Amino acid sequence: MPDRSPRASSRDAILRVFAEHVADRGYADTSLADVAAELNLSKGTIVHHFKSKEALLGELHVAYFTRRFAEVDYVHAQLEDPVSRLVAMIYALLAAHRDDRAASLSCLRELVRYFDGELNQYARQERDRYTGFVVDILREGVERGVFHTPDPRMTALQVFGMCNYAWTWYRPDGPQSVEEIVLLFSRTILGGLVREADDGGSELAKLIDKAIEIMQRAPGRAQSDTV
């Protein structure tokens, strides 16, 4: 575990360590006292910043979605065609399991807890807004005649179901890289959406490669230890 004593009282440090504990132990078994001990702080300092453990979980969720929506903005600015945008979103969803792992585990695995408290409405709104971006990509693809799906929303949920539950099996030190998994997943999804031209799929391969390359350059992509 790296030394976290410098500037340990910062909110970012508290959020980061809290995310790591929740990812390792689960929300119920994470205590503010343990987070404070790792940072050489008093529990009162954490309560001063965040009021309660539930509030900390809420701020972790807000920070997580702030990063995800920054990626959405980046995809929108850098890519124009629906195929590349969809691949980029698949990359963003899967890469979060590697580059933003503690927060991803904490938010995706513990998400059900948000729907029992005051964060209910916020969590639903953010999740629906994020889902809506992928739905819009699919609808645009249908309108352009690129994608073929009778229900863009259901297809979007298929994408999220495929990617979000990667936390149950993906390991950063596993046999396949995120990029390899993105390539496989993208071809699986696009195989049901895109009617390839008579070029052996070479144009589709170029679009997939371009989307992955652009998302590898996304702001903050290398900062895997941030919350």
Side-chain angles (χ1 to χ4, degrees):
M1 186 69 66
D3 180 13
R4 304 185 187 280
S5 55
R7 302 179 64 182
S9 62
S10 72
R11 293 172 61 87
D12 287 347
I14 294 171
L15 275 171
R16 182 174 61 247
V17 173
F18 177 74
E20 291 169 355
H21 281 232
V22 173
D24 289 342
R25 311 173 186 182
Y27 176 75
D29 292 326
T30 294
S31 73
L32 296 186
D34 288 341
V35 174
E38 183 169 336
L39 290 166
N40 296 318
L41 299 173
S42 69
K43 181 179 175 181
T45 299
I46 296 180
V47 172
H48 171 74
H49 282 295
F50 296 100
K51 308 303 181 186
S52 67
K53 189 170 81 165
E54 181 181 353
L56 240 177
L57 189 66
E59 294 229 16
L60 178 62
H61 187 81
V62 170
Y64 181 77
F65 265 102
T66 296
R67 291 192 295 279
R68 300 292 77 81
F69 281 116
E71 292 169 343
V72 165
D73 292 340
Y74 182 78
V75 169
H76 187 77
Q78 296 294 321
L79 297 165
E80 295 183 358
D81 68 281
V83 173
S84 294
R85 284 184 173 180
L86 182 60
V87 174
M89 289 303 299
I90 291 172
Y91 185 94
L93 288 164
L94 288 170
H97 293 283
R98 177 191 65 194
D99 303 332
D100 204 4
R101 187 161 179 78
S104 292
L105 281 169
S106 300
C107 291
L108 295 175
R109 191 181 62 202
E110 307 293 325
L111 187 62
V112 66
R113 298 183 183 279
Y114 293 115
F115 300 107
D116 293 326
E118 61 184 17
L119 296 169
N120 184 314
Q121 184 176 358
Y122 171 81
R124 289 185 184 277
Q125 287 175 342
E126 293 301 272
R127 186 176 68 172
D128 288 346
R129 187 160 69 97
Y130 192 72
T131 301
F133 183 76
V134 177
V135 174
D136 288 344
I137 291 173
L138 291 164
R139 283 178 177 157
E140 182 181 356
V142 171
E143 291 170 2
R144 292 192 187 187
V146 176
F147 292 152
H148 305 274
T149 173
D151 192 336
R153 179 170 178 78
M154 186 59 64
T155 301
L157 294 176
Q158 180 183 3
V159 171
F160 283 104
M162 178 180 70
C163 296
N164 281 350
Y165 279 89
W167 70 264
T168 64
W169 53 265
Y170 171 73
R171 296 293 179 269
D173 58 352
Q176 290 179 302
S177 69
V178 162
E179 287 72 22
E180 290 171 329
I181 297 169
V182 170
L183 181 61
L184 177 61
F185 278 21
S186 295
R187 285 197 170 278
T188 299
I189 287 292
L190 293 173
L193 289 171
V194 178
R195 294 174 184 169
E196 295 185 11
D198 296 329
D199 60 359
S202 62
E203 189 62 31
L204 180 58
K206 290 178 183 177
L207 289 174
I208 292 174
D209 289 343
K210 177 184 176 182
I212 291 176
E213 179 184 351
I214 285 177
M215 286 308 295
Q216 287 173 330
R217 301 198 303 266
R221 171 61 55 209
Q223 299 176 12
S224 60
D225 61 343
T226 58
V227 173

